[in-house]
């Protein structure tokens, strides 16, 4: 199973970005998916997660109301729409997949990881 994240970049505070994560191999429609981020000098932390159908989601308190996770099982892709970005959102964002279909919020619950995409929010 391979995960390819894209969509990162440099944006001003208040702006928006949409991250995509394309999954190849395996059975995407049966995977729970998540987005994590890691800022310099900090631990990797969960940002959002979604179950196999998209019917259940999780958001970290720091991004609630600003970020939206979604998935398209026909395209084997999960998305993270990020609005009202803040400088503290600056980090490398990673997508992850787990063979269990349910939502999960800890790193150890995920089986596969993408390479990360850098998001930089300037003030």
């Amino acid at each position: 199973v391979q995960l390819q994240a894209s969509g990162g970049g440099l944006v001003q505070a208040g702006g928006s970005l949409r991250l995509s994560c394309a999954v190849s191999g395996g059975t995407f429609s049966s995977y729970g998916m998540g987005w994590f981020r890691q800022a310099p000098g900090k631990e990797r932390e969960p940002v959002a997660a979604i179950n196999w159908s998209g019917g259940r989601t999780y958001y970290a308190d720091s991004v609630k109301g600003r970020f939206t996770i979604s998935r398209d099982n026909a395209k084997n892709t999960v998305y993270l729409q990020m609005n009202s970005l803040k400088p503290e959102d600056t980090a490398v964002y990673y997508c992850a997949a787990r063979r269990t279909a349910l939502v999960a919020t800890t790193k150890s619950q995920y089986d596969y990881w993408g390479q990360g995409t850098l998001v930089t929010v300037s003030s």
Side-chain angles (χ1 to χ4, degrees):
V1 177
Q2 292 187 323
L3 287 70
Q4 181 70 44
S6 61
L10 174 63
V11 64
Q12 288 188 330
S16 298
L17 283 174
R18 188 175 84 153
L19 305 184
S20 299
C21 176
V23 179
S24 59
T27 309
F28 176 78
S29 60
S30 68
Y31 292 159
M33 298 296 299
W35 286 98
F36 289 73
R37 68 185 181 187
Q38 188 167 17
K42 295 190 176 181
E43 293 285 321
R44 191 173 299 189
E45 61 178 8
V47 174
I50 191 166
N51 74 335
W52 68 277
S53 68
R56 292 197 179 274
T57 56
Y58 158 84
Y59 295 98
D61 287 344
S62 58
V63 307
K64 277 181 183 175
R66 300 188 298 122
F67 290 12
T68 302
I69 188 171
S70 62
R71 65 189 296 158
D72 185 337
N73 287 346
K75 295 183 178 179
N76 289 1
T77 301
V78 63
Y79 305 97
L80 185 68
Q81 178 67 44
M82 306 186 295
N83 299 328
S84 302
L85 282 160
K86 304 175 181 180
E88 51 263 44
D89 295 318
T90 295
V92 176
Y93 283 71
Y94 298 89
C95 60
R98 62 192 305 250
R99 292 188 293 268
T100 305
L102 305 179
V103 168
T105 61
T106 61
K107 292 179 293 185
S108 62
Q109 292 175 296
Y110 286 85
D111 302 297
Y112 311 106
W113 291 84
Q115 85 290 357
T117 185
L118 177 62
V119 172
T120 304
V121 184
S122 63
S123 57

